[in-house]
Amino acid sequence: TQLLEQSPQFLSIQEGENLTVYCNSSSVFSSLQWYRQEPGEGPVLLVTVVTGGEVKKLKRLTFQFGDARKDSSLHITAAQPGDTGLYLCAGARSNTGKLIFGQGTTLQVKP
Amino acid sequence: ETGVTQTPRHLVMGMTNKKSLKCEQHLGHNAMYWYKQSAKKPLELMFVYSLEERVENNSVPSRFSPECPNSSHLFLHLHTLQPEDSALYLCASSQPTGPGANVLTFGAGSRLTVL
């Protein structure tokens, strides 16, 4: 069974702080995605990374794919209350839409 | 509005009831998915339809019965459910093949409570 372990599972921080969420596996993935899910909504895709060592930035969010394509991280700089939500990583081993999801990291950013 | 619409958003049913969840997408996608989301657990892939043909059934109990009448619509028929089936059921769609197959657009989900 392929597993994606996310850490931490829960994070509560003050506005303005920085944070990093990790997504680790013993399996190699062809691509890895990060989604954000807000209460009462479905997950929304933030980014897809496909190349080992790739770094992508989305405003204050920085995503990195590990060199061996087994792990990824999401770094948020100067977190805002609007960043609050459930962050999910999902790995793919082929172009079939069959994604393996991590259990998620719940982020709470307090004003 | 994500382009994937799920109804109903909330459903409460008894263990002997029969109900259905509906999903509709107008994104031109040809693959549709049902996922189950339970608290503190990873999203569980239940069913995959590609070009209206079921291509994945992840050992889902027969009390869950999917139906895909066309590429825009997906149903999940529910009967004689158990309380542990209470969860958020998410529908998603994507292109059937290629890199776009892994770019899922999710609906807002149907929150199911089984009494």
Side-chain angles (χ1 to χ4, degrees):
Chain A
T1 304
Q2 304 165 40
L3 291 176
L4 270 174
E5 297 286 341
Q6 277 188 246
S7 61
Q9 290 192 32
F10 183 80
L11 196 53
S12 180
I13 61 172
Q14 293 294 136
E15 181 177 1
E17 292 184 15
N18 302 332
L19 66 116
T20 302
V21 177
Y22 299 93
C23 180
N24 296 300
S25 176
S26 57
S27 299
V28 175
F29 293 100
S30 59
S31 66
L32 197 138
Q33 303 175 347
W34 286 91
Y35 291 81
R36 182 169 73 203
Q37 184 177 17
E38 298 186 27
E41 301 296 330
V44 175
L45 180 66
L46 296 174
V47 77
T48 301
V49 285
V50 296
T51 305
E54 182 176 4
V55 176
K56 281 192 174 179
K57 292 195 173 187
L58 187 65
K59 296 183 180 178
R60 293 175 293 99
L61 279 60
T62 301
F63 305 86
Q64 184 162 10
F65 202 10
D67 291 340
R69 289 186 288 132
K70 294 182 179 181
D71 53 83
S72 181
S73 63
L74 158 60
H75 182 78
I76 302 179
T77 303
Q80 306 287 314
D83 296 327
T84 293
L86 176 67
Y87 288 82
L88 299 163
C89 66
R93 295 197 68 190
S94 60
N95 291 331
T96 59
K98 298 175 190 176
L99 302 180
I100 307 294
F101 279 84
Q103 75 271 44
T105 296
T106 300
L107 172 64
Q108 181 184 57
V109 182
K110 293 179 279 189
Chain B
E1 178 61 52
T2 65
V4 178
T5 303
Q6 289 188 243
T7 55
R9 293 292 307 275
H10 299 273
L11 178 62
V12 179
M13 59 187 289
M15 290 193 288
T16 58
N17 290 159
K18 289 185 180 181
K19 297 286 184 182
S20 296
L21 306 181
K22 179 182 176 182
C23 178
E24 185 173 354
Q25 60 91 9
H26 297 289
L27 299 169
H29 291 161
N30 286 305
M32 296 187 78
Y33 311 80
W34 280 116
Y35 278 88
K36 177 183 179 182
Q37 187 174 33
S38 305
K40 298 182 181 179
K41 292 176 67 176
L43 266 70
E44 300 173 50
L45 179 62
M46 300 176 71
F47 301 104
V48 180
Y49 277 83
S50 180
L51 300 171
E52 300 163 40
E53 183 177 331
R54 192 191 311 179
V55 296
E56 186 86 9
N57 178 345
N58 270 355
S59 303
V60 179
S62 59
R63 56 186 184 269
F64 295 91
S65 176
E67 179 189 0
C68 187
N70 55 63
S71 60
S72 298
H73 295 85
L74 184 65
F75 295 88
L76 187 62
H77 303 299
L78 316 169
H79 62 97
T80 59
L81 294 192
Q82 305 297 312
E84 59 264 29
D85 296 323
S86 298
L88 182 68
Y89 288 85
L90 290 162
C91 173
S93 69
S94 75
Q95 297 298 335
T97 58
N102 295 332
V103 181
L104 301 184
T105 300
F106 283 90
S110 293
R111 173 69 62 185
L112 173 66
T113 302
V114 181
L115 302 177

